[in-house]
Each structure stands twice: as C-alpha cells, then as structure tokens.
Amino acid sequence: MLNKYARAFFTRVLTPFAALLIRLGVSPDAVTLAGTGGVVAGALVFYPRGEFFWGTVVITLFVFSDLVDGNMARQLGRSSRWGAFLDSTLDRVADGAIFGGLALWYAGRGDDNALCAVTIFCLASGQVVSYTKARGESIGLPVNVNGLVERAERLVISLVACGFSGLHKFGVPHIDILLPIALWIVALGSAVTLVQRVVTVRREAAEADAADRAVVQRGEGR
C-alpha cells in the first residue's frame, strides 16, 4: 500500500530537489551512497545509546535518498541495472543498521533480551523477505504478491514508533511502549509476508514446471 501510494506522492514532492541536484552535477550513485551512509550513522550512533528521537530525525533526513536517486536517474535517462543493483544492495545495509542499532540497545543499556531477539528477528526476516523475491525472479518467476509488511511498511512502522518513543526523554510519560509494540507488529507482519511469498513462489514454480512439461510433451507428440 505504501509502495503504491506514498512512493508516488513523495516522488512528486522530491522531483524539484532531484532536478536541483542534477544541475549541481551530483550523480544518482552519489546520492545513494550518501543516503545509506547517513542512515547507517544515524542508526548506529544514536540508537544503541537510546537516543531514539534524534536518531530517527537523522535517519528520516537521509532515507528519502531512496526516492531521490531513482528520480534523478529517470530525469537523466540513466536508469540501469547497476543503479538498481546498488540501490537494492544498500537498502539491505540500511535496514540492517536500523534494526542492528535497536538490537544493540536492547542487548546493552535497554536490558531486554526478549526484545533484542524480536529485533534480530525483524532484521533477519526483512532480509529473507527481500531475498525470496529476488531469488524467485532470478529463476524466471514473477513473484506476483503484495506482502502484508514489505520494506516501506517495516521502515514507517519502526521509525515512527522510534521517533515517538524518543519523546520519553522529553518528559512524555509511557510513550516508550510504542517501540516494543511496533517491533512485535513488524516481526509478525514480516513472518506473514515471508509465508505469502514462499507460497506464491511455490505456486508459480509449479505452474511454470507444468507449462514446461506440456511444451515437451507437445514436442514429443509431433
């Protein structure tokens, strides 16, 4: 849902900024690298110290690079396989840093092994969800399914909860409960999404294999 509607909205909003960067001679790859670096720094510097509000502010400023670099590439007419590969690979790095930073907090000063485990599951399941689609597509399957909690949903739920939970340090009572709730939601949603994709790949693979056998049988019957 977020990929369909929010991405289109923010793409329109960020188009003038993308055009400005092009005029300044900035390349899409440079934006991709800078954006990932900013997200990683924000997550691993602030989150392990429990600075969820400021960490989320920094991450949010850089996370939109994921839309800006693609917008720039389209305006330049330079959309390429390399750009898509780099963007997708660095997305995984950024996601790992976000959930890794939260896991470090719960493993350390946050002192909650259960939430540390849930956060690690969010990290791992997010990577596997992405892998199932990439692997399915690599063997020629469309993997035509809209998962319950995909990358956009994982980021929005987690970052919004982190940001608001950080207000606890500014005196807002009990708001820090939002982050554990969000992590459980992301964990459960990612598990459901993983099952959805595996089931879809299994069905599409069976259909493709049946179609291949039918072609062979028709060829043998001639």
Side-chain angles (χ1 to χ4, degrees):
M1 181 179 67
L2 287 173
N3 278 329
K4 182 177 180 181
Y5 298 108
R7 181 175 287 269
F9 169 76
F10 283 111
T11 295
R12 290 194 298 271
V13 171
L14 294 171
T15 293
F17 179 62
L20 173 62
L21 291 177
I22 291 172
R23 289 196 296 272
L24 293 174
V26 179
S27 71
D29 286 354
V31 172
T32 303
L33 291 168
T36 302
V39 170
V40 170
L44 297 183
V45 170
F46 291 95
Y47 282 177
R49 293 159 39 197
E51 297 288 346
F52 298 135
F53 178 78
W54 292 115
T56 301
V57 169
V58 172
I59 291 170
T60 302
L61 290 175
F62 285 97
V63 80
F64 284 106
S65 66
D66 190 45
L67 299 177
V68 173
D69 55 6
N71 193 312
M72 292 172 66
R74 285 189 294 273
Q75 290 189 46
L76 290 167
R78 294 182 187 170
S79 296
S80 65
R81 291 182 177 86
W82 162 250
F85 170 81
L86 180 65
D87 190 54
S88 180
T89 300
L90 293 183
D91 282 349
R92 307 288 84 76
V93 173
D95 293 356
I98 290 171
F99 289 105
L102 293 173
L104 287 172
W105 162 252
Y106 285 119
R109 292 167 58 188
D111 193 23
D112 194 320
N113 289 336
L115 284 175
C116 179
V118 171
T119 305
I120 292 173
F121 179 82
C122 289
L123 191 163
S125 60
Q127 305 290 332
V128 176
V129 164
S130 298
Y131 174 78
T132 54
K133 184 173 180 65
R135 181 59 177 148
E137 291 174 343
S138 74
I139 58 176
L141 302 176
V143 196
N144 189 19
V145 59
N146 292 319
L148 178 64
V149 176
E150 297 189 351
R151 183 173 187 260
E153 287 81 7
R154 289 196 302 271
L155 283 181
V156 169
I157 293 170
S158 303
L159 292 178
V160 168
C162 275
F164 278 110
S165 293
L167 296 176
H168 179 71
K169 287 199 170 185
F170 294 89
V172 180
H174 310 303
I175 199 166
D176 52 328
I177 193 64
L178 289 178
L179 181 54
I181 292 173
L183 290 173
W184 277 106
I185 290 172
V186 170
L188 294 173
S190 297
V192 171
T193 303
L194 178 58
V195 172
Q196 288 177 305
R197 289 197 173 175
V198 170
V199 169
T200 298
V201 169
R202 187 177 188 277
R203 173 179 54 78
E204 292 177 349
E207 292 172 352
D209 290 343
D212 290 343
R213 286 193 296 269
V215 169
V216 171
Q217 289 172 356
R218 285 197 298 270
E220 291 175 348
R222 291 178 181 176

